[in-house]
Amino acid sequence: MNKVFPKKWLGQHFLTDTGAAERITLLLPPDVKNVLEIGPGTGVLTQHLLNRNINLKLIEIDGESVSYLKNTFPQAQNLIIEADFLKTDLNGLFTENYTIIGNFPYNISSQILFRMLEYKYKITGLTGMFQKEVAERICAGKGNKSYGILSVLIQAFYNTELIFSLTPEAFSPPPKVNSAVIRLTRKDNYTINCDERTFFRLVKKAFNQRRKKLRNALHEYRFSENAPAVFFQKRAEELSVDDFITLTNALVKE
Ligand code: SAH
């Protein structure tokens, strides 16, 4: 019997491959101080994190998992926040910078990543499991078929590494998709040399019609001559992060 009734709507697929669980926690930098685990569930990652000399906090939305964790790991009692990660004030959790870890609920993957970007001034990294397809999108380079909005927006601020993949049998209940573990590490200089909101909007627009050349995909925008003309003959997937920054700076009017 499962320790906690698995709730599909909360993306609950508990990792049963204990070797993989330990491996994920070992991906945290050795000198890390403040760590937030999203969705600890029944604690397969948490048990390893509790053995480390770190300042740990756990956010879990599911009351049943929270009770299970509190009973099984008394030392975690005061570390657990029963809340929705998407509605939690990410600034108030730690006074200092912190890093995120988790086997993330796949139904809210993009929202987790966009929140990380919003709070990037405090979040120095993120390690954990996503649906493999999403993990590939995050880490893909220019020209790759997975290269898209997530790749550009995340890689503007974080270095990305695709570490290893797992098949559905590593989980209970097994998800319908493969999974992969990634590690994001904030860049030393994580300010971009253009207006951030405009950059986000432009990247999204460019990829929304990813098969079209930018001349068409971005026809609503006006650019100065600082925008290299060759860009407009290309598709979004052929532009690097720096190219998108150049384009943002050349924007005259939306
Ligand atoms: N880390 C565990 C569980 C992974 S399943 C393991 O590896 O086995 C994903 C977990 O995220 C579940 O425990 C689920 O309840 C939790 N979760 C889902 N949505 C959440 C949200 N919005 N905020 C916090 N936790 C959430």
Side-chain angles (χ1 to χ4, degrees):
M1 215 184 76
N2 283 300
K3 301 161 177 170
V4 167
F5 172 73
K7 301 164 195 73
K8 238 187 190 165
W9 65 94
L10 293 178
Q12 289 185 344
H13 296 280
F14 300 110
L15 183 65
T16 49
D17 181 335
T18 50
E22 183 170 18
R23 201 169 156 204
I24 294 167
T25 61
L26 291 173
L27 290 169
L28 284 178
D31 57 347
V32 71
K33 263 172 76 184
N34 300 309
V35 178
L36 173 68
E37 185 184 356
I38 302 177
T42 53
V44 65
L45 299 180
T46 320
Q47 59 186 341
H48 296 289
L49 298 172
L50 287 169
N51 287 332
R52 282 180 65 162
N53 183 22
I54 52 176
N55 179 16
L56 178 66
K57 293 205 169 148
L58 316 162
I59 293 193
E60 174 56 65
I61 199 170
D62 175 33
E64 198 188 353
S65 295
V66 169
S67 307
Y68 178 85
L69 286 167
K70 287 188 172 170
N71 289 329
T72 315
F73 306 105
Q75 68 277 41
Q77 294 265 359
N78 301 322
L79 314 179
I80 306 177
I81 305 157
E82 184 174 343
D84 180 347
F85 168 76
L86 299 178
K87 295 188 182 143
T88 303
D89 168 22
L90 299 186
N91 195 27
L93 287 172
F94 296 95
T95 47
E96 294 174 316
N97 287 349
Y98 61 97
T99 187
I100 291 177
I101 192 165
N103 287 338
F104 304 111
Y106 296 170
N107 50 337
I108 57 166
S109 305
S110 299
Q111 292 169 79
I112 291 174
L113 293 161
F114 283 117
R115 289 209 91 204
M116 174 193 77
L117 289 178
E118 211 178 307
Y119 289 89
K120 59 186 172 301
Y121 58 92
K122 281 208 92 162
I123 303 176
T124 51
L126 175 146
T127 297
M129 187 97 65
F130 288 98
Q131 176 177 343
K132 191 174 181 193
E133 197 190 304
V134 173
E136 284 172 350
R137 273 197 256 147
I138 295 166
C139 302
K142 174 179 99 158
N144 187 295
K145 69 170 171 31
S146 303
Y147 184 67
I149 296 171
L150 277 182
S151 333
V152 176
L153 298 186
I154 292 174
Q155 290 168 30
F157 309 101
Y158 290 83
N159 293 317
T160 67
E161 296 166 273
L162 191 59
I163 316 262
F164 67 93
S165 307
L166 285 174
T167 50
E169 312 82 73
F171 304 84
S172 170
K176 289 205 175 73
V177 293
N178 286 323
S179 301
V181 173
I182 63 164
R183 179 164 59 188
L184 308 179
T185 311
R186 196 177 65 190
K187 293 183 172 178
D188 290 337
N189 178 6
Y190 60 97
T191 49
I192 52 172
N193 197 11
C194 65
D195 180 67
E196 225 174 78
R197 281 167 181 274
T198 314
F199 172 77
F200 274 55
R201 269 207 303 276
L202 191 79
V203 171
K204 286 180 181 168
K205 195 81 179 179
F207 280 102
N208 274 342
Q209 294 177 291
R210 60 180 294 142
R211 298 170 67 90
K212 290 199 177 168
K213 296 204 168 144
L214 291 178
R215 168 166 31 88
N216 298 318
L218 297 178
H219 73 270
E220 299 159 39
Y221 294 76
R222 280 199 20 231
F223 295 93
S224 74
E225 64 241 24
N226 295 334
V230 287
F231 284 6
F232 300 101
Q233 304 303 324
K234 297 185 178 189
R235 296 185 175 84
E237 66 201 36
E238 297 173 275
L239 258 57
S240 68
V241 173
D242 285 341
D243 292 342
F244 278 109
I245 293 172
T246 303
L247 210 50
T248 306
N249 282 323
L251 192 71
V252 177
K253 210 172 146 223
E254 285 179 55

